[in-house]
């Protein structure tokens, strides 16, 4: 474990890697978060706020991008990790598989597989 930072020293926030899943089915942000939580056997943290997210694994979580007013699908599901880009992609692919198994949503990764 690293020692605490010295007083007056700035602590850099951890790097967040992101892998995006595109949801091409119609869903609201609130519904999408609830379905992600259910499929992941998790919960929505910060429900009703702009920072709402669903924890997926240690140091990984999913957020649903806020669509612009009147913007139709697709909806972006961003999977973040503070471990690595590969970890974010692996978590995103796992989430995609769970969502495909439990919903009729039309999904695709927005990154090379």
């Amino acid at each position: 474990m690293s020692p605490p930072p010295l007083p007056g020293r700035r602590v850099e926030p951890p790097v967040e890697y992101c892998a995006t899943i595109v949801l091409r089915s119609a869903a609201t942000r609130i519904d999408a978060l609830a379905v992600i939580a259910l499929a992941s056997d998790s919960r929505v943290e910060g429900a009703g706020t702009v920072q709402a997210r669903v924890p997926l694994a240690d140091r990984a979580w999913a957020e649903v991008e806020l669509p612009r007013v009147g913007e139709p699908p697709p909806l972006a599901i961003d999977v973040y990790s503070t471990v690595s880009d590969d970890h974010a992609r692996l978590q995103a692919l796992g989430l995609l598989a769970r969502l495909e198994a439990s919903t009729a949503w039309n999904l695709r990764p927005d990154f090379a597989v």
Side-chain angles (χ1 to χ4, degrees), residues 40-85:
S40 302
D41 194 28
S42 189
R43 70 205 176 290
V44 178
E45 293 181 344
T49 69
V50 178
Q51 296 86 19
R53 63 162 95 187
V54 177
L56 300 175
D58 187 35
R59 299 169 57 185
W61 65 95
E63 296 179 4
V64 176
E65 183 180 302
L66 286 168
R68 292 187 179 95
V69 175
E71 188 177 62
L75 198 65
I77 300 170
D78 294 324
V79 177
Y80 291 94
S81 168
T82 58
V83 177
S84 68
D85 188 49

Side-chain angles (χ1 to χ4, degrees), residues 22-45:
V22 177
L23 169 60
R24 295 180 289 195
S25 304
T28 66
R29 179 175 183 261
I30 293 169
D31 289 343
L33 285 164
V35 170
I36 292 166
L38 189 61
S40 302
D41 194 28
S42 189
R43 70 205 176 290
V44 178
E45 293 181 344

